[in-house]
Amino acid sequence: MRAQISERTLRTDRWWLSPLLTVAGLGLISVYAAIRTFMNDYYWVGEYHYLTPMYSPCLSAECVPAASHFGQPLPELPGFLTPPIFIIPFLLGFRITCYYYRKAYYRAAWMSPPACAVAEPHKTYTGETKAPLIAQNLHRYFFYAASILLLINIYDAIAAFSGEKGFGIGLGNIILLVNVGLLAAYTLSCHSCRHIMGGKLKHFSKHPVRYWMWQRISTLNGKHMQLAWSSLIFVCLTDLYIALVASGVIGDLRFVN
Amino acid sequence: MGYQGNFRVWRGDADGGGLEDFTVEVNEGEVVLDVIHRLQATQAGDLAVRWNCKAGKCGSCSAEINGRPRLLCMTRMSTFTEGETITITPMRTFPIIRDLVTDVSFNYTKAREIPSFKPPKGLAPGEYRMQQVDVERSQEFRKCIECFLCQDTCHVIRDHEENKEAFAGPRFLMRVAELEMHPLDEGGRVDAAQEQHGLGLCNITKCCSEVCPEHIKITDNALIPMKERVADRKYDPIVWLGNKIFRRQP
Ligand code: SF4
Ligand code: SF4
Ligand code: FES
Ligand code: FES
């Protein structure tokens, strides 16, 4: 018999604040991403060759030709199948199965548990032992896919230094660079990456290079939550900046050419 | 300067009980355990509380303070305001014995379910040779003082008594990880972690790491690496195939 305590929790601090902020943050970003996905416009700044990461790679025949850095293998598609529809499953899959985001939404959205030492409302609990949650074990495949998309984003960011008038640097370039920097840090700090690069080894002494990489990644991994949020928010800001420039609402701040 | 502090302490046993109010003197530099001792000495001579070292090293004085699993001896009174009522309750997850003392034998049962260190065949104690970098990683887990606050906090068993059978809890999944990462252990513990010790029940919500008084990164350094090892063996067809073809041991 446990001690009889009827309160769901005796915590007196604001334990509900963090789940609330998580739900609000993720909700807001989802709405923004959905709007931009179906807008299907203002993703490419022709003059400076800026391409938003949300539309990269742009693979269907309806894309602005110059924005399709990797050709257009897909035909013209019905309206709702916009270019991001082919990218988002991988990016979303990567983030949804991410160990950090799992913690965040299990707590904030599923309330399992809402906060430490606050009782969850569910009668039964099977964790990640059954379908569909057992599929969280596939995180590493999304890590591979996201790594490829990251390389494409890095290519785009570098290609953006050469606009219609040749080489140039604008605020957009800086934003695109910071964006891929944050995405790279987030992707490298992934727990699956840490495992694959060295964590799975039993004898570090036999693999000095992988041990070195594991140490570096472990340092980054300690900041995985911060990187998860900052990279997510910054992708949206990058996209917003490019949308604003592409639609002519603001001009790009140019430093060189 | 001392002041009169307000406390609510759970008193009772398996037959029932509840929170009782007390006003107790608090002096500068004290921890919650000091106040509990004063309460015992001046007002409630039969109050049951378990403690030993008063230095955060024996893991005896685990309880819940304002609803948060903590060591009584490591919670400074200076973290509360003078007017605040401080609620002290026993750990919720384990059966109550009396007042602040619970029966933590669940943890000893779970500890016994983990097969001990298995050295390579033909290697006798005294002949073990290991590189420092190889043993280093699991040293972190040896800081554990067995306070069982992580076990108390983990919602898998805290909120679901029925899971106790299937789930070893963070402290003992960490023990499995420690052995699995040991350079000389040949216990082959990955499948058992999932099938016998209930690793799949953990949803990595990190409450164990949040309450650990030794600041062991239980989730990041033990549970998630074990989940990745399980994924290697059970859910990753590519690694599985590679291991089959090359007959390799990672
Ligand atoms: S991370 Fe896992 S083991 Fe730790 S408290 Fe959460 S569910 Fe329990
Ligand atoms: S891991 Fe930390 S919280 Fe858990 S029993 Fe050990 S010291 Fe206590
Ligand atoms: S754990 Fe977060 S991206 Fe892999
Ligand atoms: S009395 Fe030993 S840890 Fe508190």
Side-chain angles (χ1 to χ4, degrees):
Chain A
M1 272 298 277
R2 299 186 183 198
Q4 275 176 13
I5 301 169
S6 48
E7 286 88 346
R8 178 181 176 210
T9 183
L10 289 165
R11 278 181 72 163
T12 49
D13 57 334
R14 285 180 294 169
W15 56 264
W16 38 264
L17 187 64
S18 160
L20 199 69
L21 289 177
T22 307
V23 167
L26 293 179
L28 219 65
I29 287 170
S30 311
V31 171
Y32 178 82
I35 293 175
R36 282 293 285 153
T37 298
F38 296 109
M39 197 179 270
N40 204 3
D41 205 354
Y42 310 127
Y43 52 83
W44 170 249
V45 180
E47 198 180 350
Y48 307 125
H49 290 186
Y50 295 158
L51 173 62
T52 167
M54 282 188 67
Y55 279 72
S56 169
C58 212
L59 297 175
S60 55
E62 71 201 290
C63 293
V64 179
S68 295
H69 293 157
F70 300 90
Q72 299 186 335
L74 301 174
E76 198 136 344
L77 297 159
F80 64 94
L81 288 177
T82 59
I85 293 288
F86 298 93
I87 308 162
I88 280 181
F90 298 104
L91 291 183
L92 206 63
F94 185 45
R95 300 237 173 199
I96 284 182
T97 59
C98 161
Y99 286 95
Y100 166 68
Y101 285 103
R102 270 145 80 180
K103 172 198 162 192
Y105 64 71
Y106 284 148
R107 280 194 187 196
W110 191 240
M111 302 214 278
S112 179
C116 302
V118 178
E120 55 178 279
H122 311 288
K123 276 243 151 35
T124 58
Y125 173 85
T126 53
E128 298 184 331
T129 57
K130 292 203 165 81
L133 292 182
I134 200 162
Q136 305 281 28
N137 284 301
L138 300 177
H139 180 57
R140 54 187 60 187
Y141 292 106
F142 289 107
F143 164 72
Y144 297 135
S147 303
I148 295 170
L149 288 172
L150 171 67
L151 291 177
I152 294 175
N153 287 161
I154 293 175
Y155 175 88
D156 296 336
I158 295 171
F161 282 104
S162 126
E164 258 173 9
K165 292 180 279 177
F167 179 78
I169 303 176
L171 182 57
N173 291 107
I174 311 289
I175 291 177
L176 282 170
L177 274 190
V178 173
N179 178 52
V180 291
L182 283 172
L183 285 177
Y186 169 65
T187 310
L188 278 174
S189 68
C190 164
H191 284 277
S192 289
C193 176
R194 185 181 184 219
H195 173 76
I196 294 160
M197 293 302 187
K200 66 196 301 185
L201 299 170
K202 211 168 170 121
H203 297 97
F204 283 147
S205 54
K206 291 187 190 152
H207 307 267
V209 179
R210 290 178 71 184
Y211 177 50
W212 183 88
M213 289 197 295
W214 178 79
Q215 285 178 304
R216 301 285 95 68
I217 291 171
S218 297
T219 310
L220 267 186
N221 179 264
K223 294 264 170 294
H224 195 55
M225 174 181 95
Q226 289 84 339
L227 289 168
W229 280 105
S230 54
S231 62
L232 185 65
I233 293 170
F234 208 83
V235 168
C236 296
L237 293 179
T238 307
D239 177 74
L240 182 65
Y241 183 81
I242 289 171
L244 291 176
V245 175
S247 58
V249 175
I250 57 171
D252 186 35
L253 182 65
R254 302 300 292 174
F255 307 120
V256 177
N257 195 5
Chain B
M1 279 302 289
Y3 67 94
Q4 295 295 317
N6 304 317
F7 294 85
R8 279 198 304 169
V9 182
W10 195 88
R11 302 219 51 196
D13 54 26
D15 296 327
L19 293 165
E20 280 180 29
D21 289 297
F22 296 97
T23 306
V24 192
E25 183 186 322
V26 180
N27 296 314
E28 200 175 326
E30 288 186 330
V31 293
V32 174
L33 186 60
D34 291 316
V35 176
I36 292 290
H37 280 159
R38 184 167 300 120
L39 176 62
Q40 218 178 24
T42 57
Q43 301 174 44
D46 61 342
L47 175 73
V49 57
R50 194 185 272 133
W51 67 285
N52 244 295
C53 68
K54 245 193 110 203
K57 283 294 166 233
C58 73
S60 308
C61 65
S62 306
E64 302 188 5
I65 304 174
N66 283 348
R68 309 185 78 156
R70 307 204 52 141
L71 294 178
L72 293 171
C73 73
M74 294 303 281
T75 307
R76 296 190 161 277
M77 285 305 301
S78 59
T79 53
F80 306 102
T81 57
E82 292 192 7
E84 192 171 348
T85 300
I86 300 167
T87 308
I88 305 166
T89 46
M91 289 194 280
R92 276 211 203 201
T93 305
F94 310 121
I96 187 73
I97 295 178
R98 201 157 69 85
D99 303 339
L100 299 177
V101 177
T102 53
D103 173 4
V104 294
S105 52
F106 161 77
N107 300 289
Y108 305 132
T109 309
K110 291 296 162 182
R112 279 192 296 271
E113 285 170 6
I114 299 168
S116 52
F117 173 66
K118 187 169 172 231
K121 269 211 181 68
L123 210 58
E127 294 172 352
Y128 301 165
R129 296 293 176 270
M130 301 162 253
Q131 300 282 323
Q132 177 62 25
V133 290
D134 295 341
V135 276
E136 226 160 42
R137 183 161 38 156
S138 55
Q139 297 288 311
E140 177 190 8
F141 310 142
R142 301 198 69 96
K143 290 194 301 184
C144 173
I145 59 170
E146 304 234 297
C147 62
F148 305 130
L149 286 173
C150 54
Q151 305 279 89
D152 174 45
T153 316
C154 179
H155 70 116
V156 176
I157 45 179
R158 184 183 177 93
D159 298 340
H160 302 280
E161 181 74 27
E162 71 279 6
N163 283 336
K164 276 190 177 168
E165 180 84 30
F167 190 60
R171 199 280 162 249
F172 297 103
L173 288 167
M174 177 173 92
R175 171 72 181 148
V176 176
E178 180 193 330
L179 289 164
E180 176 58 32
M181 290 174 190
H182 192 290
L184 288 182
D185 182 74
E186 295 195 336
R189 297 163 192 277
V190 176
D191 291 344
Q194 186 81 344
E195 286 153 18
Q196 282 150 42
H197 307 301
L199 180 63
L201 285 166
C202 162
N203 67 353
I204 53 163
T205 34
K206 281 197 173 177
C207 290
C208 49
S209 310
E210 247 177 59
V211 300
C212 177
E214 285 293 310
H215 306 290
I216 304 173
K217 297 200 166 63
I218 307 169
T219 319
D220 284 351
N221 289 346
L223 305 177
I224 294 176
M226 283 311 284
K227 281 197 174 240
E228 284 294 311
R229 281 169 170 74
V230 169
D232 273 349
R233 285 184 63 91
K234 297 176 70 93
Y235 307 111
D236 188 331
I238 297 176
V239 174
W240 179 82
L241 203 68
N243 287 346
K244 275 271 178 269
I245 294 173
F246 303 110
R247 295 168 166 274
R248 64 181 174 198
Q249 267 275 316

